[in-house]
Amino acid sequence: MTRVWGLVAVTIIAVVAAFAVQMQRSGLTLGEMLSGRPTTVSGSIAANQATARDGARVDFLTSMPLGAPVGADDRPLVAHVSVADLDKDGLTDIIVADAANNQVTWLRQSPAGTFTESVIASVAGPAHVVAVDVDADGDSDLAVASLGVLFPNNAPIGAVIVLENDGRQSFMPRVLISEVPRVADVRAGDLDGDGDVDLSVALFGYDQGETRWLENRGGWRFESHLLQQLSGVINAEIVDADTDGDLDIVTLVSQEWEEIYVFANDGRGGFTPTRVFGASNEDFGSSWISIADLDADGDADVVYSNGDAFDYAPPTGRGWNGLQWLENRGGLRFVYHRIGDFSGASSPQAADLDGDGDLDIAVVSAYNRWERPEAMSLVWFENDGAMSFTRRPIASAPTHLITLATGDLNGDGHADLITGGMHMSPPFDRMSRVTAWINHWPGTRP
């Protein structure tokens, strides 16, 4: 009997220790840990099945491959594309995180309609790049998230690098942090209210990962602050999520967690985490979040895709992949809404694609059944203005699209699309690096 009670005691101690470790890593209280998934979304996933209707194609986009051509033996691995007028000539350029060549490149538009690609810097496993004036000298620098290597790795090989612009588009690398878990995302904003640019950082890692923010102390000195220790952090968006006038951090945590957190800011860089979403399916496949006021009520909602299938062989997507949004109801209360199914969904971006005054959503697919002619790599969900959506196909080629950006490339007032190809698995017959999709709405509505 004494031995039995000893085993029970050991089991209880182990459970308590596990809870203590998880509380310390996530930043949640014991009550929040024991309550399971957030009450605002628990049960709502089952109650909110995909509502989007399937609609016919509307031909309003013209595709145009940009940059270096894809050779027969190439396997492009474009992790991220973003838009910025990097040289401030009034024309929108494209910045590319090219993980195949370990480079950040610049697709400069000059003259209008002509894009020429050049290498800005070598970066190991670039995962995300954003243009921002970090040093407040009037030009755009580039903040880069470096994985070190693209594929899973537990080594501390990640880094945050700022490519400092000298004002003439010559860039000098400044390493802000290094020898950390692989970094998947970096965003910019004044997080402590002192008037300069700080950074939020998603350290994906592999078995070990973190969320941090880097406090700008001036003179290219940044102090790193740990917010959470969970692996698989994909995004670390900066936005005023609770509408209190300061900037918060919204993170997407994948791996076995499949959770979204809001780190509420006290206005001085003190953050309190709140878990606003958690999927009960550990294979939910979280792939990306973006921020938009989707319902036009004046606050920030979360647009969220789940489509990661790289844990499966072959990685062809899963039936539960798709698109959803978390409606901001105030007070850090977010309500889950499933929009539509889409295998391999990644990088959803909200934009008014059809010029009717509301936000539609474009989304790409990285993993799909590419042998099927109906397998789409790019679709858009048309919003009727009342948050009812119709899924409309755009393209089935090129395949393996993992990243998407929106921007007005030709200055006509319409939102164009830019996609990047991530070709880690076959087939290798419809490949791309960077593609622009020029919007000439109204097109031909069926």
Side-chain angles (χ1 to χ4, degrees):
M1 182 61 70
T2 301
R3 183 178 181 183
V4 171
W5 282 111
L7 291 173
V8 171
V10 169
T11 302
I12 292 173
I13 291 171
V15 170
V16 170
F19 267 104
V21 169
Q22 186 60 12
M23 286 167 57
Q24 189 272 331
R25 294 178 68 193
S26 68
L28 300 178
T29 66
L30 179 59
E32 289 169 327
M33 289 292 300
L34 294 174
S35 67
R37 303 302 184 183
T39 57
T40 56
V41 296
S42 61
S44 69
I45 295 177
N48 284 269
Q49 299 302 313
T51 58
R53 303 179 300 275
D54 278 329
R57 182 190 305 271
V58 181
D59 290 322
F60 69 104
L61 293 168
T62 300
S63 65
M64 177 174 64
L66 300 177
V70 179
D73 297 325
D74 292 342
R75 299 291 184 266
L77 301 173
V78 174
H80 187 242
V81 291
S82 61
V83 296
D85 182 4
L86 197 56
D87 53 3
K88 299 191 182 301
D89 64 351
L91 300 174
T92 302
D93 308 312
I94 301 169
I95 315 301
V96 181
D98 184 341
N101 295 307
N102 293 308
Q103 295 172 339
V104 173
T105 69
W106 175 23
L107 280 161
R108 182 188 183 195
Q109 184 175 188
S110 180
T114 299
F115 291 84
T116 303
E117 188 168 19
S118 61
V119 176
I120 292 178
S122 295
V123 175
H128 191 277
V129 56
V130 60
V132 59
D133 187 2
V134 176
D135 53 4
D137 64 353
D139 53 38
S140 292
D141 310 302
L142 297 173
V144 185
S146 169
L147 289 166
V149 295
L150 185 63
F151 294 96
N153 196 300
N154 280 319
I157 53 177
V160 173
I161 300 167
V162 171
L163 305 176
E164 181 189 1
N165 190 344
D166 67 357
R168 298 179 298 277
Q169 291 72 61
S170 180
F171 294 84
M172 181 177 72
R174 291 188 177 272
V175 180
L176 304 189
I177 57 172
S178 62
E179 298 182 355
V180 295
R182 298 184 309 147
V183 179
D185 195 12
V186 58
R187 307 288 175 136
D190 183 4
L191 293 173
D192 52 5
D194 64 354
D196 56 25
V197 173
D198 309 301
L199 301 172
S200 62
V201 185
L203 296 96
F204 187 97
Y206 184 42
D207 292 328
Q208 302 293 325
E210 300 170 346
T211 300
R212 291 179 175 267
W213 75 281
L214 303 184
E215 180 183 359
N216 190 340
R217 290 298 187 90
W220 289 104
R221 294 181 300 109
F222 286 78
E223 181 178 351
S224 180
H225 301 276
L226 178 65
L227 295 178
Q228 192 176 63
Q229 290 179 290
L230 294 179
S231 59
V233 191
I234 295 174
N235 300 117
E237 292 270 10
I238 293 179
V239 67
D240 185 3
D242 52 11
T243 64
D244 65 350
D246 54 40
L247 293 176
D248 312 302
I249 300 173
V250 183
T251 63
L252 173 61
V253 187
S254 62
Q255 305 284 67
E256 69 269 33
W257 315 109
E258 306 292 349
E259 296 173 334
I260 295 174
Y261 286 84
V262 174
F263 292 85
N265 193 345
D266 64 5
R268 301 178 302 278
F271 293 91
T272 302
T274 297
R275 185 175 56 190
V276 298
F277 173 86
S280 57
N281 179 3
E282 291 186 358
D283 291 329
F284 197 57
S286 295
S287 55
W288 210 290
I289 59 171
S290 59
I291 304 297
D293 183 6
L294 202 57
D295 53 2
D297 65 350
D299 54 29
D301 307 304
V302 180
V303 186
Y304 171 33
S305 63
N306 66 304
D308 181 20
F310 198 61
D311 287 339
Y312 297 94
T316 53
R318 288 298 181 266
W320 56 82
N321 293 168
L323 179 67
Q324 44 265 311
W325 69 292
L326 300 184
E327 178 188 359
N328 190 339
R329 291 283 184 87
L332 294 179
R333 179 171 177 260
F334 287 77
V335 177
Y336 174 94
H337 302 279
R338 179 75 168 187
I339 295 176
D341 300 333
F342 186 42
S343 183
S346 181
S347 193
Q349 303 295 325
D352 185 5
L353 295 177
D354 53 7
D356 64 353
D358 55 44
L359 291 178
D360 313 297
I361 304 172
V363 61
V364 292
S365 174
Y367 309 104
N368 215 323
R369 300 294 297 272
W370 302 119
E371 73 278 6
R372 298 179 178 178
E374 70 273 15
M376 290 289 108
S377 55
L378 176 60
V379 303
W380 68 294
F381 288 82
E382 180 185 8
N383 188 350
D384 68 357
M387 304 306 295
S388 180
F389 292 87
T390 299
R391 184 181 66 179
R392 296 186 183 275
I394 295 177
S396 57
T399 61
H400 297 85
L401 302 180
I402 201 167
T403 179
L404 168 68
T406 64
D408 186 0
L409 294 178
N410 55 6
D412 65 354
H414 296 305
D416 307 308
L417 307 178
I418 305 95
T419 59
M422 176 72 73
H423 297 275
M424 293 190 290
S425 59
F428 299 113
D429 58 346
R430 288 165 283 168
M431 295 188 293
S432 69
R433 286 187 68 251
V434 180
T435 306
W437 306 78
I438 305 302
N439 186 340
H440 53 84
W441 190 269
T444 306
R445 179 182 288 276

